[in-house]
Amino acid sequence: GATSLPLSYWHIYSSFVNEQTIDANFAMLNIIGSSVIRIAVNYDIFLRNDGASIQKLDYAVMKARAEGKKIMIADSAAESYRNNPLSTVDFANAWRSRVKVLTERYHPDYFVLIKEPGWYLGMIKDASFTGVDKNAAPWISHASDLVSDVKAISPSTKVAVAVPASLLYHEGGGGS
């Protein structure tokens, strides 16, 4: 199964996340038989050119590959967008850009291109990208663009989109 490492999201900035911690996590994951390593990348490390954090991420990907594990990247945008939301157009362009950068750098086995639509709403200052339960068309179009971007760089990468289960099983959706 897929297992997350402690360097996902904002944890990558934590002082306790270092090569030794990553190694210890891999030792545990080997014991339980994990075959896929999932990393929800906080793209701020690339926006800030944070070499130390990028090195941690690179190390984890390299280690996973060396141990025969598959890599799953889950897009989680950049946490800084919550404090400085982007317009829909700028957000969509930034999204495509980060997906291309991460695909080129890591050629992941799996890429969750949209990590639940509601995750992103506070990062977008206008309402053009509403919740998928209210207007799926922009999300479908954008997902198609993202898939094309990934496949142009890494044709073997399997892509996915995550939506909250409430959208699938409850009339009117659960909001996103």
Side-chain angles (χ1 to χ4, degrees):
T3 310
S4 292
L5 288 176
L7 49 77
S8 290
Y9 305 109
W10 58 90
H11 302 295
I12 198 163
Y13 296 119
S14 300
S15 60
F16 70 84
V17 177
N18 53 40
E19 289 184 6
Q20 293 78 21
T21 306
I22 294 168
D23 289 345
N25 274 265
F26 271 94
M28 179 200 58
L29 297 175
N30 288 333
I31 290 169
I32 64 172
S34 291
S35 59
V36 179
I37 304 300
R38 180 184 181 275
I39 305 169
V41 177
N42 176 354
Y43 199 69
D44 279 327
I45 66 174
F46 291 95
L47 294 177
R48 297 175 182 161
N49 198 24
D50 178 349
S53 295
I54 293 169
Q55 185 176 6
K56 292 178 196 180
L57 183 56
D58 289 349
Y59 177 79
V61 170
M62 176 206 64
K63 184 161 184 69
R65 290 258 154 64
E67 294 189 7
K69 299 186 184 316
K70 296 189 182 280
I71 299 296
M72 176 188 295
I73 292 178
D75 177 73
S76 30
E79 285 296 319
S80 62
Y81 297 157
R82 293 193 189 284
N83 295 326
N84 298 299
L86 303 175
S87 70
T88 297
V89 171
D90 289 343
F91 191 81
N93 289 336
W95 202 336
R96 289 186 75 181
S97 176
R98 75 177 168 269
V99 162
K100 290 176 188 175
V101 166
L102 294 171
T103 302
E104 288 171 350
R105 188 174 189 99
Y106 300 114
H107 289 272
D109 300 285
Y110 307 96
F111 204 141
V112 180
L113 298 170
I114 299 176
K115 183 200 146 324
E116 300 182 13
W119 173 262
Y120 304 99
L121 294 181
M123 300 176 186
I124 307 167
K125 65 180 163 188
D126 55 20
S128 298
F129 262 130
T130 58
V132 72
D133 56 321
K134 295 175 182 54
N135 184 8
W139 291 99
I140 292 168
S141 175
H142 187 64
S144 178
D145 291 341
L146 294 171
V147 169
S148 295
D149 292 341
V150 168
K151 293 297 186 175
I153 297 165
S154 183
S156 64
T157 297
K158 292 175 178 64
V159 296
V161 171
V163 295
S166 61
L167 294 176
L168 302 174
Y169 299 111
H170 299 289
E171 188 173 330
S176 61

